[in-house]
Amino acid sequence: MRPWLRHIMLLLWMLLGICSCRVMAQSQSSPIILSSDRTILYPSRMELQGDESILDLLLSYPELLVKGFDQLLDNYQLRMENVPMSCNLRIFLSTTPARVVEKIQICHNPGVAKGTTGLGGVIDLTMQRGNDPNNALQPITLPSPTTMLSNNNPATDATPKAEGRLGFETSTKGYMLPYAAVYYGSESTDVIVNASLNTLNANRQHTTDQYADIFITHRFDHRNRLLVYLRQSYAEQLGSNNLWNRSYLARARYFHTFNDRGTELLMLAGYRFDDATFRSHPRDNVVTNGTQLYLLELNTPLASGLNMMLGWEADLSHRRYSLRQTMVSTDRPFAANDDYTIINNDFYLELNYSIGPLKLSMGDRLSAYYYQYLTPQGSASSRPLRNFAQAALIYTPNNQHQLMAAYYRRFVNPYYLYTALNRYPQTDGIGWTQGNPLLHEQLADIVRIAYTFSKRHYSFNASSQYLNTYGVVSTVVTPSYLTWTNDPTPHQEWQLDASTAYRSRRWSLVAGGHLCYLASGSYGYFRLAPKILLPHQWQFDAQAIYCTTLAPERQIDNTPLYALLQVRKSIGDRLQLSIQCHDPFNDQRRAAVADIQYRF
């Protein structure tokens, strides 16, 4: 560890040691819990107003939603039961009720547990399977909003329950978006289906996005269960750059619990296929990718207060680029095919030890990373060895307060095409892209301090994160080639976040800010999101995001403020109408949206 990191970590441990004089166990009823690499939200432990969506809860975290409307979850990947989703994020998050979700895991620095390369985060949804405090496997519970308002606890009977939503959305910008969702739960089987179709025809552009996700949980008995996930997506864009993009994914996870202590074995197998075609005269480019995934993971207690996670994850991917180009100077076409074989073998271990109000978590993931590709000069390959690591100390004086200090080591692999020796041959004096096989990974040392205060109706969250990144890939332009190199200058960044949320029976308010300090210039985002429940089943929602001058989103079109206003009217328990106006300060994205939704 670098000297400056040792000093910072030593100071953090001393501060937490001073605070550890109070010894009280954490209550299982805490609505928000800090873990080693994530913040966990439990909707059933919150004082919800009845039919909040997942999006309503995520609004409390300003670093997630900084772009507004369709551009959601900035730098975060959405997953369900640890499987990446390909849905329309805005529709899924805004229409899926939070009460069908057992917990929402906002993973700020996924690495050891989830193996995510890069510096992005993950939001993982675990769907509701009962309200047992020990997470016993019980039937999915789908109460009506009136039940949730009366006691905020799901029903516990094993009667099969089904609920669904059909919706249709249209906008003044020219798109139509039908969507559907079905939730079914019985004593042994849960089924969740989401589908949407988005068609846009504006400014002589034609765009179609279609998504379908099916998630099935089957419980053979109280110690064996099978999770099956199927996903299909299709995107089509016609215009100056024609694009067809298809994706298919199938994944099965089997869980076996050995004993009453909670020793559990997870086995996973999956396959994903992607096919993208770019057609813009005089080009005809095709990219295909097939990936197989396998995983074994054991979670077990080792002693009193000591738990272990031990796992192996492997994937095999074959990616093919079929490129047809036309020389600008001679109008002569040429073809180039690049094949990449990528193999990952990851071994990971995490230990968690709890004593009184303190919890220590330490983990490491070793990634044996291999890829092979073809170039005009022949075959080339690389065998780098990567390493994730993390350590966290969490102090919980009571069931409302938590304080955490943590260190993470993460890395970013260079893009495959950046390492190709000579992707396009130099012909007739025309400059082409030149890869750099000497590129190495981009490393990041991260220190994070976080605090949360949570009650059923109120929460406050604050965090500070410092990133020191090495070996960032930068562009180098030469007379004949465009190539890449690793920048030896460390890139430093400091992030500061704070947010608060209050909910009552008739209104709620979410406010927060995200600040980022860089050597090149600092920027920030500030969000305010009130909601009012009016008589006769009327509802008013608003959201405003202010971007400072140097914010990346503001640099695009110099729009300092994003806003959304929405009025909803429920007719009975099944029909809901809404009208919303978004981006009123942006001439390009300004639009009015009408939505009708039927619940069955």
Side-chain angles (χ1 to χ4, degrees):
M1 186 181 294
R2 293 171 174 82
W4 62 269
L5 271 178
R6 284 198 297 266
H7 295 319
I8 292 178
M9 295 305 295
L10 179 60
L11 178 61
L12 294 178
W13 300 155
M14 291 175 60
L15 290 175
L16 289 176
I18 294 173
C19 296
S20 61
C21 57
R22 298 175 61 187
V23 180
M24 294 181 67
Q26 178 186 8
S27 170
Q28 291 291 332
S29 61
S30 301
I32 301 176
I33 291 179
L34 294 177
S35 187
S36 56
D37 63 348
R38 65 198 67 184
T39 301
I40 307 174
L41 283 63
Y42 292 89
S44 63
R45 303 175 186 176
M46 299 178 181
E47 194 77 31
L48 301 181
Q49 294 167 328
D51 208 17
E52 278 90 344
S53 66
I54 299 175
L55 182 61
D56 290 329
L57 301 187
L58 292 180
L59 285 174
S60 301
Y61 292 84
E63 72 272 25
L64 301 181
L65 311 166
V66 298
K67 297 182 180 179
F69 205 63
D70 278 326
Q71 293 76 35
L72 298 181
L73 301 188
D74 184 57
N75 207 31
Y76 277 75
Q77 181 189 71
L78 181 66
R79 298 184 182 183
M80 179 184 291
E81 305 282 355
N82 207 28
V83 181
M85 300 187 68
S86 63
C87 59
N88 183 304
L89 288 180
R90 180 178 57 82
I91 291 295
F92 176 79
L93 294 175
S94 62
T95 61
T96 302
R99 55 190 167 76
V100 303
V101 179
E102 179 184 332
K103 60 183 177 181
I104 303 172
Q105 302 182 71
I106 304 174
C107 306
H108 309 282
N109 289 287
V112 173
K114 296 186 178 297
T116 302
T117 60
L119 299 179
V122 168
I123 296 178
D124 191 12
L125 308 175
T126 300
M127 307 313 289
Q128 181 69 258
R129 286 190 293 269
N131 63 338
D132 186 88
N134 297 316
N135 294 323
L137 300 177
Q138 297 181 7
I140 191 171
T141 54
L142 299 166
S144 65
T146 54
T147 304
M148 293 291 292
L149 283 172
S150 62
N151 55 23
N152 205 36
N153 288 314
T156 56
D157 64 88
T159 305
K161 301 179 187 297
E163 177 182 325
R165 293 168 183 258
L166 292 173
F168 182 83
E169 188 176 277
T170 183
S171 169
T172 56
K173 281 296 183 182
Y175 72 76
M176 296 181 295
L177 203 165
Y179 57 90
V182 177
Y183 314 99
Y184 170 82
S186 68
E187 186 175 3
S188 61
T189 304
D190 306 331
V191 180
I192 301 173
V193 180
N194 286 283
S196 64
L197 173 64
N198 184 8
T199 300
L200 171 65
N201 189 356
N203 299 324
R204 298 184 179 179
Q205 299 287 327
H206 169 79
T207 301
T208 297
D209 299 299
Q210 180 264 315
Y211 305 99
D213 296 88
I214 302 175
F215 183 82
I216 303 171
T217 301
H218 182 73
R219 291 172 290 277
F220 300 97
D221 52 46
H222 71 287
R223 290 190 175 180
N224 296 277
R225 72 184 191 273
L226 177 67
L227 280 67
V228 178
Y229 187 90
L230 305 173
R231 187 187 79 191
Q232 183 269 332
S233 66
Y234 174 78
E236 176 184 293
Q237 178 179 336
L238 303 178
S240 58
N241 290 307
N242 298 345
L243 165 67
W244 288 264
N245 194 336
R246 297 175 296 176
S247 178
Y248 306 93
L249 183 145
R251 189 171 292 185
R253 296 200 297 169
Y254 177 76
F255 295 84
H256 175 70
T257 303
F258 291 94
N259 50 48
D260 295 334
R261 297 171 56 203
T263 301
E264 185 179 68
L265 178 67
L266 161 64
M267 295 179 288
L268 181 149
Y271 182 77
R272 173 176 174 172
F273 177 79
D274 298 282
D275 180 14
T277 303
F278 304 83
R279 292 177 180 174
S280 179
H281 183 77
R283 302 184 185 92
D284 186 2
N285 304 331
V286 179
V287 181
T288 59
N289 184 48
T291 302
Q292 305 171 43
L293 175 66
Y294 307 96
L295 183 143
L296 285 174
E297 181 179 296
L298 177 68
N299 290 272
T300 182
L302 297 178
S304 177
L306 179 62
N307 293 275
M308 178 188 73
M309 176 182 66
L310 177 66
W312 165 75
E313 181 177 354
D315 60 78
L316 170 64
S317 177
H318 180 76
R319 183 173 299 178
R320 181 178 179 83
Y321 295 82
S322 299
L323 309 171
R324 301 184 184 278
Q325 301 283 345
T326 298
M327 303 300 241
V328 178
S329 60
T330 62
D331 290 330
R332 279 204 326 267
F334 79 94
N337 294 324
D338 288 341
D339 290 272
Y340 294 80
T341 300
I342 305 104
I343 301 175
N344 288 289
N345 273 284
D346 291 7
F347 301 90
Y348 56 97
L349 171 68
E350 183 175 289
L351 296 173
N352 293 281
Y353 180 65
S354 300
I355 177 170
L358 293 176
K359 179 180 179 181
L360 175 64
S361 177
M362 302 185 68
D364 189 84
R365 173 184 282 252
L366 187 65
S367 178
Y369 179 67
Y370 168 82
Y371 60 94
Q372 184 181 44
Y373 52 88
L374 297 177
T375 73
Q377 288 77 26
S379 178
S381 63
S382 180
R383 294 177 174 84
L385 192 65
R386 315 298 196 208
N387 173 254
F388 296 95
Q390 68 186 43
L393 184 62
I394 304 172
Y395 172 61
T396 308
N398 54 49
N399 65 341
Q400 295 178 351
H401 300 270
Q402 273 196 299
L403 178 65
M404 182 187 74
Y407 164 78
Y408 311 94
R409 172 189 168 91
R410 303 186 65 183
F411 66 85
V412 183
N413 283 319
Y415 186 40
Y416 309 122
L417 297 184
Y418 292 174
T419 61
L421 295 176
N422 191 357
R423 235 188 114 217
Y424 301 143
Q426 184 181 12
T427 308
D428 297 336
I430 302 298
W432 298 101
T433 300
Q434 165 86 0
N436 181 3
L438 300 179
L439 284 178
H440 55 79
E441 73 274 19
Q442 169 185 332
L443 298 175
D445 291 318
I446 303 173
V447 175
R448 180 180 179 88
I449 302 175
Y451 167 78
T452 182
F453 171 82
S454 60
K455 301 176 69 173
R456 293 188 64 87
H457 67 286
Y458 174 76
S459 66
F460 172 79
N461 301 279
S463 66
S464 177
Q465 181 164 290
Y466 177 79
L467 296 86
N468 198 32
T469 310
Y470 308 85
V472 177
V473 177
S474 57
T475 302
V476 176
V477 180
T478 65
S480 300
Y481 287 97
L482 171 67
T483 187
W484 294 270
T485 186
N486 287 112
D487 187 350
T489 306
H491 291 234
Q492 299 180 359
E493 178 179 333
W494 180 42
Q495 299 176 0
L496 180 64
D497 296 283
S499 63
T500 184
Y502 179 84
R503 298 178 181 88
S504 71
R505 290 294 181 180
R506 290 299 177 187
W507 64 277
S508 66
L509 179 65
V510 174
H514 171 73
L515 301 176
C516 184
Y517 295 90
L518 299 167
S520 58
S522 304
Y523 62 88
Y525 305 94
F526 302 92
R527 176 187 294 112
L528 187 66
K531 179 170 69 173
I532 302 175
L533 301 180
L534 302 173
H536 308 293
Q537 294 185 299
W538 286 88
Q539 180 177 314
F540 172 79
D541 296 84
Q543 185 182 161
I545 302 175
Y546 174 76
C547 308
T548 61
T549 304
L550 297 181
E553 285 68 36
R554 185 166 176 179
Q555 294 296 308
I556 297 174
D557 49 27
N558 197 32
T559 302
L561 183 65
Y562 162 80
L564 181 145
L565 303 175
Q566 178 173 249
V567 178
R568 297 182 184 179
K569 166 63 177 174
S570 296
I571 303 176
D573 293 331
R574 299 187 179 275
L575 188 63
Q576 185 180 87
L577 309 176
S578 70
I579 297 177
Q580 52 181 254
C581 174
H582 69 85
D583 291 287
F585 304 102
N586 189 301
D587 294 336
Q588 300 297 322
R589 296 196 300 263
R590 179 189 303 147
V593 177
D595 184 281
I596 180 171
Q597 185 179 123
Y598 178 76
R599 175 180 173 180
F600 58 89

